[in-house]
Each structure stands twice: as structure tokens, then as C-alpha cells.
Amino acid sequence: MKKTFVLSLLIPFALVCSCQKQDSTAEQQLAQRKTELDAREKALDEREKALTEREKLVAKPRVPSVPRIAPAEPQRTVPPELKGLMPDPSQLRTEREQRIQERLAERQRKMEEMQKMRVRALPRNQATAPSTEQAASPIPSPTPE
């Protein structure tokens, strides 16, 4: 009888102890999940703050910028002993512009010549080559002979 009584007390005691162990592991997992969620929440808050700051910067009315006008080049005088050594910048610009204009004119002349040659070659090719309509049509023309 004592054995059955001890056994009947021992079984519920073992069950209670095992439940407490499971509860402690579940609590540990719960605590771990909670810390992970807290870390995620902090990161999300930081991102949200950064986003609101960016939106504020974008939404701020900007002061219109004043267009900058490049200062005119000062007129420099070149000493007479150095005039032959250094080319004049304005003269270099005009020479460059002249060369560009000459190249453009030459290119235009060449284009015109090529167009003239094509126009000249076109009638010759049409006159010497049989027309494709006559060569391709098997039906004789209805002109009386």
C-alpha cells in the first residue's frame, strides 16, 4: 500500500517537474524572440527617422540660385619683347573659326559634287538597263503592229 501511495505521489510530481522544465525553455524562446523583435523595431524606427529627415530636406523650399555671370577676361597687355613668343588668344580663335568654316565649305562642295554625280549616273543606268517592267511582264503589249 505504501508503494502504491508513493508511486501515485511520484508520478504527478514527475509530471509537474517536467512541465516546469518545458515552461522555462518556452520562456527562454519567448524572451529571445522578444529581444529580436525589439532590435528590429529599433532598426525600423531609425530608418523611419532617416526617411522623414530626407522628406523634410526635399520639401524645404530652396532659395533660387542667382545665375553666375562669368567675369569678362581682363585685357592683358603683352610686353613687346614677348609678343613674338606667345600667340594672341583672340587671333588663335579667329584662325580656328576660319579653319572650321573652310572645312564646312569643303564638305558642302563634296556633297554637292556627289549628288551631281548620282544624278548624272542615274539616267545612264536607266537608259542602258532594260526596264524591269518590260523584262518581267510575260504579256505582250497591246500596241498594234
Side-chain angles (χ1 to χ4, degrees):
M1 175 107 166
K2 285 186 179 184
K3 287 184 180 181
T4 57
F5 180 71
V6 171
L7 202 74
S8 65
L9 287 176
L10 190 61
I11 291 175
F13 181 72
L15 288 173
V16 169
C17 289
S18 66
C19 288
Q20 286 180 351
K21 283 186 179 180
Q22 288 177 358
D23 288 342
S24 65
T25 56
E27 288 176 4
Q28 287 176 352
Q29 290 176 351
L30 182 64
Q32 185 180 3
R33 286 182 185 172
K34 187 175 182 179
T35 55
E36 289 175 358
L37 286 176
D38 288 340
R40 288 181 186 176
E41 189 176 348
K42 285 181 183 179
L44 186 61
D45 287 340
E46 289 175 5
R47 287 183 185 172
E48 193 174 295
K49 286 179 184 177
L51 183 62
T52 55
E53 287 177 11
R54 285 185 200 157
E55 288 175 351
K56 286 179 183 177
L57 289 176
V58 170
K60 271 188 182 178
R62 296 186 179 179
V63 177
S65 62
V66 178
R68 294 185 180 180
I69 301 171
E73 289 185 20
Q75 295 294 330
R76 297 182 183 147
T77 56
V78 180
E81 60 269 1
L82 296 178
K83 279 192 179 183
L85 297 177
M86 287 178 31
D88 186 23
S90 61
Q91 185 181 5
L92 288 175
R93 281 189 208 117
T94 56
E95 288 176 3
R96 182 174 172 226
E97 288 174 3
Q98 286 175 354
R99 283 183 284 175
I100 290 172
Q101 293 298 325
E102 289 172 2
R103 288 179 186 165
L104 287 173
E106 183 68 27
R107 187 178 293 163
Q108 186 67 29
R109 276 187 246 124
K110 287 182 180 179
M111 290 295 290
E112 289 173 359
E113 288 177 11
M114 289 174 64
Q115 287 176 350
K116 287 179 185 177
M117 291 174 66
R118 287 181 185 162
V119 168
R120 288 182 198 155
L122 187 61
R124 279 190 220 152
N125 289 341
Q126 287 179 349
T128 57
S131 70
T132 56
E133 291 178 4
Q134 292 175 357
S137 73
I139 304 171
S141 63
T143 55
E145 293 182 6

PDB file of all heavy atoms in Angstrom, residues 65-78:
ATOM      1  N   SER A  65      18.842  80.093 -56.908  1.00  0.00           N
ATOM      2  CA  SER A  65      20.234  80.469 -57.077  1.00  0.00           C
ATOM      3  C   SER A  65      20.346  81.606 -58.081  1.00  0.00           C
ATOM      4  O   SER A  65      19.622  81.662 -59.072  1.00  0.00           O
ATOM      5  CB  SER A  65      21.060  79.270 -57.540  1.00  0.00           C
ATOM      6  OG  SER A  65      20.575  78.835 -58.783  1.00  0.00           O
ATOM      7  N   VAL A  66      21.231  82.483 -57.807  1.00  0.00           N
ATOM      8  CA  VAL A  66      21.477  83.613 -58.692  1.00  0.00           C
ATOM      9  C   VAL A  66      22.407  83.134 -59.795  1.00  0.00           C
ATOM     10  O   VAL A  66      23.436  82.522 -59.525  1.00  0.00           O
ATOM     11  CB  VAL A  66      22.125  84.777 -57.903  1.00  0.00           C
ATOM     12  CG1 VAL A  66      22.439  85.936 -58.820  1.00  0.00           C
ATOM     13  CG2 VAL A  66      21.234  85.188 -56.760  1.00  0.00           C
ATOM     14  N   PRO A  67      22.018  83.361 -61.042  1.00  0.00           N
ATOM     15  CA  PRO A  67      22.895  82.884 -62.112  1.00  0.00           C
ATOM     16  C   PRO A  67      24.240  83.598 -62.055  1.00  0.00           C
ATOM     17  O   PRO A  67      24.311  84.815 -61.897  1.00  0.00           O
ATOM     18  CB  PRO A  67      22.127  83.231 -63.391  1.00  0.00           C
ATOM     19  CG  PRO A  67      21.151  84.269 -62.986  1.00  0.00           C
ATOM     20  CD  PRO A  67      20.853  84.070 -61.549  1.00  0.00           C
ATOM     21  N   ARG A  68      25.236  82.804 -62.161  1.00  0.00           N
ATOM     22  CA  ARG A  68      26.583  83.370 -62.110  1.00  0.00           C
ATOM     23  C   ARG A  68      26.985  83.828 -63.501  1.00  0.00           C
ATOM     24  O   ARG A  68      26.843  83.094 -64.473  1.00  0.00           O
ATOM     25  CB  ARG A  68      27.581  82.339 -61.605  1.00  0.00           C
ATOM     26  CG  ARG A  68      27.332  81.962 -60.174  1.00  0.00           C
ATOM     27  CD  ARG A  68      28.408  81.043 -59.691  1.00  0.00           C
ATOM     28  NE  ARG A  68      28.164  80.689 -58.295  1.00  0.00           N
ATOM     29  CZ  ARG A  68      28.935  79.895 -57.607  1.00  0.00           C
ATOM     30  NH1 ARG A  68      29.986  79.360 -58.148  1.00  0.00           N
ATOM     31  NH2 ARG A  68      28.659  79.623 -56.351  1.00  0.00           N
ATOM     32  N   ILE A  69      27.468  84.999 -63.539  1.00  0.00           N
ATOM     33  CA  ILE A  69      27.948  85.546 -64.800  1.00  0.00           C
ATOM     34  C   ILE A  69      29.460  85.483 -64.760  1.00  0.00           C
ATOM     35  O   ILE A  69      30.091  85.975 -63.818  1.00  0.00           O
ATOM     36  CB  ILE A  69      27.464  86.999 -64.992  1.00  0.00           C
ATOM     37  CG1 ILE A  69      25.938  87.028 -64.977  1.00  0.00           C
ATOM     38  CG2 ILE A  69      28.031  87.577 -66.269  1.00  0.00           C
ATOM     39  CD1 ILE A  69      25.367  88.412 -64.947  1.00  0.00           C
ATOM     40  N   ALA A  70      29.993  84.854 -65.774  1.00  0.00           N
ATOM     41  CA  ALA A  70      31.436  84.712 -65.823  1.00  0.00           C
ATOM     42  C   ALA A  70      32.051  86.087 -66.030  1.00  0.00           C
ATOM     43  O   ALA A  70      31.599  86.863 -66.873  1.00  0.00           O
ATOM     44  CB  ALA A  70      31.841  83.775 -66.949  1.00  0.00           C
ATOM     45  N   PRO A  71      33.065  86.394 -65.258  1.00  0.00           N
ATOM     46  CA  PRO A  71      33.693  87.700 -65.432  1.00  0.00           C
ATOM     47  C   PRO A  71      34.389  87.763 -66.786  1.00  0.00           C
ATOM     48  O   PRO A  71      34.921  86.781 -67.290  1.00  0.00           O
ATOM     49  CB  PRO A  71      34.697  87.777 -64.279  1.00  0.00           C
ATOM     50  CG  PRO A  71      34.961  86.362 -63.904  1.00  0.00           C
ATOM     51  CD  PRO A  71      33.699  85.613 -64.222  1.00  0.00           C
ATOM     52  N   ALA A  72      34.338  88.925 -67.358  1.00  0.00           N
ATOM     53  CA  ALA A  72      34.987  89.111 -68.653  1.00  0.00           C
ATOM     54  C   ALA A  72      36.487  88.984 -68.476  1.00  0.00           C
ATOM     55  O   ALA A  72      37.049  89.313 -67.421  1.00  0.00           O
ATOM     56  CB  ALA A  72      34.637  90.486 -69.211  1.00  0.00           C
ATOM     57  N   GLU A  73      37.117  88.472 -69.518  1.00  0.00           N
ATOM     58  CA  GLU A  73      38.567  88.326 -69.439  1.00  0.00           C
ATOM     59  C   GLU A  73      39.201  89.708 -69.416  1.00  0.00           C
ATOM     60  O   GLU A  73      38.858  90.572 -70.220  1.00  0.00           O
ATOM     61  CB  GLU A  73      39.091  87.550 -70.651  1.00  0.00           C
ATOM     62  CG  GLU A  73      38.723  86.098 -70.631  1.00  0.00           C
ATOM     63  CD  GLU A  73      39.367  85.342 -71.779  1.00  0.00           C
ATOM     64  OE1 GLU A  73      40.367  85.858 -72.340  1.00  0.00           O
ATOM     65  OE2 GLU A  73      38.882  84.273 -72.116  1.00  0.00           O
ATOM     66  N   PRO A  74      40.083  89.908 -68.486  1.00  0.00           N
ATOM     67  CA  PRO A  74      40.730  91.213 -68.439  1.00  0.00           C
ATOM     68  C   PRO A  74      41.635  91.389 -69.659  1.00  0.00           C
ATOM     69  O   PRO A  74      42.244  90.440 -70.152  1.00  0.00           O
ATOM     70  CB  PRO A  74      41.532  91.177 -67.142  1.00  0.00           C
ATOM     71  CG  PRO A  74      41.716  89.736 -66.830  1.00  0.00           C
ATOM     72  CD  PRO A  74      40.543  89.019 -67.440  1.00  0.00           C
ATOM     73  N   GLN A  75      41.676  92.591 -70.122  1.00  0.00           N
ATOM     74  CA  GLN A  75      42.548  92.896 -71.255  1.00  0.00           C
ATOM     75  C   GLN A  75      43.978  92.953 -70.736  1.00  0.00           C
ATOM     76  O   GLN A  75      44.323  93.792 -69.920  1.00  0.00           O
ATOM     77  CB  GLN A  75      42.152  94.231 -71.899  1.00  0.00           C
ATOM     78  CG  GLN A  75      40.783  94.205 -72.515  1.00  0.00           C
ATOM     79  CD  GLN A  75      40.737  93.260 -73.710  1.00  0.00           C
ATOM     80  OE1 GLN A  75      41.738  93.066 -74.394  1.00  0.00           O
ATOM     81  NE2 GLN A  75      39.572  92.680 -73.939  1.00  0.00           N
ATOM     82  N   ARG A  76      44.746  92.044 -71.197  1.00  0.00           N
ATOM     83  CA  ARG A  76      46.133  91.992 -70.754  1.00  0.00           C
ATOM     84  C   ARG A  76      47.015  92.538 -71.863  1.00  0.00           C
ATOM     85  O   ARG A  76      46.815  92.228 -73.041  1.00  0.00           O
ATOM     86  CB  ARG A  76      46.536  90.553 -70.432  1.00  0.00           C
ATOM     87  CG  ARG A  76      45.738  89.977 -69.295  1.00  0.00           C
ATOM     88  CD  ARG A  76      46.207  88.589 -68.975  1.00  0.00           C
ATOM     89  NE  ARG A  76      45.371  88.046 -67.913  1.00  0.00           N
ATOM     90  CZ  ARG A  76      45.057  86.775 -67.797  1.00  0.00           C
ATOM     91  NH1 ARG A  76      45.511  85.916 -68.662  1.00  0.00           N
ATOM     92  NH2 ARG A  76      44.305  86.362 -66.812  1.00  0.00           N
ATOM     93  N   THR A  77      47.937  93.257 -71.445  1.00  0.00           N
ATOM     94  CA  THR A  77      48.898  93.768 -72.426  1.00  0.00           C
ATOM     95  C   THR A  77      50.148  92.918 -72.345  1.00  0.00           C
ATOM     96  O   THR A  77      50.652  92.605 -71.266  1.00  0.00           O
ATOM     97  CB  THR A  77      49.251  95.237 -72.138  1.00  0.00           C
ATOM     98  OG1 THR A  77      49.743  95.346 -70.799  1.00  0.00           O
ATOM     99  CG2 THR A  77      48.031  96.126 -72.329  1.00  0.00           C
ATOM    100  N   VAL A  78      50.620  92.532 -73.476  1.00  0.00           N
ATOM    101  CA  VAL A  78      51.801  91.693 -73.547  1.00  0.00           C
ATOM    102  C   VAL A  78      52.989  92.617 -73.808  1.00  0.00           C
ATOM    103  O   VAL A  78      52.934  93.465 -74.702  1.00  0.00           O
ATOM    104  CB  VAL A  78      51.663  90.653 -74.684  1.00  0.00           C
ATOM    105  CG1 VAL A  78      52.891  89.773 -74.781  1.00  0.00           C
ATOM    106  CG2 VAL A  78      50.420  89.821 -74.457  1.00  0.00           C
TER     107      VAL A  78
END
